[in-house]
Amino acid sequence: MKKIGLKNKLEGDELDLSMLNLTEIPVSEIASLPKATKIDLSSNQIVSLPPEFATKLPYITRLELGSNKLRSLPDNIDELKNLRHLDLYNNQLTDLPVSLCQLRNLRWLDLKGNPLNSGLKKAAGDCLNQKECELAARRVLAYLKRFHIQMENEKLERLKKEKEKEAARQRAEEEQIAKKRAERKAAKEKRKEEHKAFMESQKHQSNGSAAAEQKYVAMPKTTVTASKNKKNKSKKGGSWLGWFNMILFFCLLGATGYGLYVYTEGNLSLDGLKAAYPRIADNAQVLANLTVEAFQPDNLKETVQTVFQVVKETSITAWAKLEEYTGDLSMYTGPVVAAMAKAWVWTQEITISIYNWLVENIDWNAIIGALNAAWRFLYDQWMVVCEELSKNKTFMSVVEAIKGYSVIVWENLLYIWAALCHQLSVAIEYIQEEGPGILASVKNQATSTLDSAKQSIEGLMK
């Protein structure tokens, strides 16, 4: 509807738009006529009021909406602060918005002919005359006010219960954290005492005191079914795991032989092995003590913290260098960093839990004792084998023949090592000469790539 048509419908402060078969209200056109404070929209086909009706027409005092098809009123109807007369006769309303109770100037209300709910219908009454319609306005506003207060009270009660539930959850978490902290502290003290007792026992053993009674870990017996399965599996042929174990065995055997050769200075006779045994035992004991000391919770924690701090500082420096070429990327990397931080905390907690379980549930002293006993047994058997072989003239003649070739093998190994060192020096010289140019090229390429990636990301964000 054009503005000229609306002006023709305006008489003083009354705008008559009734019986025009309107399905929508021309809010903008009505707002262009600020003199129209009394609007008659009755006997049309209006289904709802648009939200901008109340925001653009807050000054109207009388609104006639009778004989339409209204199913609801907008929640912001309370913005019609000056409304005194509201006619909603013969519509399809079942409820009214609670915000209607904020219309303090409303003095007249007609809700006849609407399928209202029982409470609202009782408050509205019959509205057959001026007095009853004025009473209906007061009663409906009071009814909606009580309903509004009830809703607010229920909301406050719900919020109170949620806060109490959250507080109870936080207290339970704090109690659980305190309990775990106390358990960790007790376990830490226990491990310190056990380590102290272990070091004292080792000290007494090194001074020649009586060896403490050792515990051996009972190995579970293999059941008949499991042994049959293993035999059947072995008949089918070696698996990749078997080959891998065989390779590891030969590597271990070779490393052991090389170590014996170094410790005996090439003298693998019985006398040479007996002379080298004290040095091997002393070095093994020193290595075991260092390993036990390194794996103490405090030392291990300090090592992890040091490594983490170095990695953190290096990452910060590298990131700052990167942002010199790309600009601030925190808006893209912030969520990723937060997720990685949560994952790191979770991994750290799991690792500490596993480590604590291993320390508390495994008898490491018994395991070390069993390994020492196995080592002594193997050493004794090796001594027996060497003693028997030393009596065999054929075997000793083979050893003497091999010793003659060992000098040639050693010279060839030295030649190969010198060639590798020469090639390494050539590679280092090449890197020193060509490295700056290559780094500059890579730096320029990386800068252009990052710039294009940044522009693409900014384009997607826009």
Side-chain angles (χ1 to χ4, degrees), residues 56-76:
K56 291 186 177 182
L57 304 172
Y59 50 83
I60 63 175
T61 59
R62 184 186 181 100
L63 181 59
E64 302 282 349
L65 289 169
S67 298
N68 277 284
K69 297 181 179 181
L70 291 173
R71 296 180 179 272
S72 63
L73 297 178
D75 292 334
N76 65 343

Side-chain angles (χ1 to χ4, degrees), residues 92-380:
Q92 300 177 17
L93 297 171
T94 57
D95 293 293
L96 294 177
V98 179
S99 58
L100 189 70
C101 67
Q102 303 296 329
L103 298 180
R104 303 178 184 275
N105 294 319
L106 190 64
R107 297 292 182 269
W108 195 94
L109 178 61
D110 187 0
L111 289 170
K112 291 192 307 295
N114 287 281
L116 301 173
N117 62 63
S118 59
L120 192 58
K121 184 176 182 180
K122 183 177 179 181
D126 296 330
C127 192
L128 299 176
N129 51 50
Q130 179 73 19
K131 185 176 180 180
E132 288 183 354
C133 291
E134 291 177 354
L135 184 60
R138 292 195 298 270
R139 287 181 175 177
V140 169
L141 293 182
Y143 171 80
L144 294 176
K145 187 68 175 178
R146 289 194 301 271
F147 189 68
H148 176 69
I149 293 173
Q150 182 181 355
M151 290 177 60
E152 289 295 324
N153 291 336
E154 291 178 355
K155 182 179 179 181
L156 292 175
E157 187 67 23
R158 186 169 60 254
L159 291 175
K160 182 180 179 181
K161 289 182 179 179
E162 291 178 355
K163 287 182 179 179
E164 291 176 352
K165 185 177 179 181
E166 181 66 20
R169 186 185 65 81
Q170 290 181 356
R171 285 195 301 271
E173 288 182 355
E174 291 174 358
E175 291 175 358
Q176 188 69 16
I177 292 172
K179 183 179 179 181
K180 290 183 178 180
R181 189 181 293 115
E183 291 176 353
R184 288 196 297 268
K185 185 176 180 181
K188 183 177 179 181
E189 294 296 331
K190 182 181 178 181
R191 289 194 298 271
K192 285 184 177 179
E193 294 296 330
E194 291 177 351
H195 175 64
K196 185 177 179 181
F198 174 74
M199 297 303 293
E200 290 293 333
S201 64
Q202 292 294 324
K203 184 177 180 182
H204 290 316
Q205 286 182 4
S206 62
N207 292 333
S209 61
E213 183 177 356
Q214 298 180 356
K215 298 179 181 178
Y216 293 91
V217 179
M219 300 298 292
K221 295 183 179 180
T222 307
T223 60
V224 177
T225 306
S227 62
K228 288 183 178 179
N229 292 335
K230 289 183 179 179
K231 290 181 180 178
N232 293 332
K233 185 176 181 180
S234 62
K235 291 180 181 178
K236 294 180 181 178
S239 63
W240 67 269
L241 185 59
W243 286 104
F244 181 72
N245 290 332
M246 186 177 295
I247 293 172
L248 288 179
F249 173 74
F250 280 114
C251 291
L252 179 61
L253 189 62
T256 304
Y258 179 75
L260 289 175
Y261 183 83
V262 171
Y263 273 99
T264 58
E265 298 179 354
N267 183 12
L268 295 175
S269 63
L270 183 61
D271 295 334
L273 292 173
K274 287 182 178 179
Y277 177 75
R279 285 199 302 158
I280 296 174
D282 293 340
N283 289 339
Q285 186 64 41
V286 171
L287 180 61
N289 293 337
L290 291 176
T291 303
V292 171
E293 184 67 23
F295 276 89
Q296 290 301 310
D298 294 338
N299 296 335
L300 188 63
K301 183 178 180 180
E302 183 178 355
T303 303
V304 172
Q305 289 178 348
T306 303
V307 172
F308 177 73
Q309 187 65 26
V310 171
V311 172
K312 181 180 179 181
E313 293 177 356
T314 304
S315 302
I316 292 174
T317 304
W319 187 256
K321 203 71 176 177
L322 178 65
E323 286 189 337
E324 291 180 2
Y325 302 99
T326 62
D328 187 12
L329 297 175
S330 59
M331 63 180 296
Y332 310 117
T333 60
V336 178
V337 172
M340 292 179 66
K342 292 182 179 179
W344 169 255
V345 171
W346 180 83
T347 304
Q348 188 177 17
E349 292 177 352
I350 293 298
T351 304
I352 292 174
S353 300
I354 294 173
Y355 177 77
N356 290 335
W357 185 89
L358 290 175
V359 172
E360 295 172 2
N361 294 278
I362 297 180
D363 191 354
W364 295 103
N365 294 334
I367 294 176
I368 293 173
L371 292 175
N372 286 332
W375 165 251
R376 290 194 187 95
F377 173 77
L378 292 175
Y379 172 74
D380 294 337

Side-chain angles (χ1 to χ4, degrees), residues 51 54-59 75-82 103:
T55 57
K56 291 186 177 182
L57 304 172
Y59 50 83
D75 292 334
N76 65 343
I77 196 170
D78 58 320
E79 295 188 20
L80 299 174
K81 303 294 184 182
N82 298 307
L103 298 180

Side-chain angles (χ1 to χ4, degrees), residues 17-78:
L17 300 178
S18 62
M19 294 183 292
L20 296 177
N21 288 324
L22 297 176
T23 58
E24 296 180 356
I25 302 176
V27 178
S28 299
E29 288 78 0
I30 296 174
S32 66
L33 302 173
K35 293 183 179 180
T37 59
K38 299 177 182 179
I39 303 173
D40 187 358
L41 291 165
S42 60
S43 301
N44 283 294
Q45 304 295 320
I46 300 172
V47 177
S48 63
L49 298 181
E52 61 269 18
F53 183 88
T55 57
K56 291 186 177 182
L57 304 172
Y59 50 83
I60 63 175
T61 59
R62 184 186 181 100
L63 181 59
E64 302 282 349
L65 289 169
S67 298
N68 277 284
K69 297 181 179 181
L70 291 173
R71 296 180 179 272
S72 63
L73 297 178
D75 292 334
N76 65 343
I77 196 170
D78 58 320

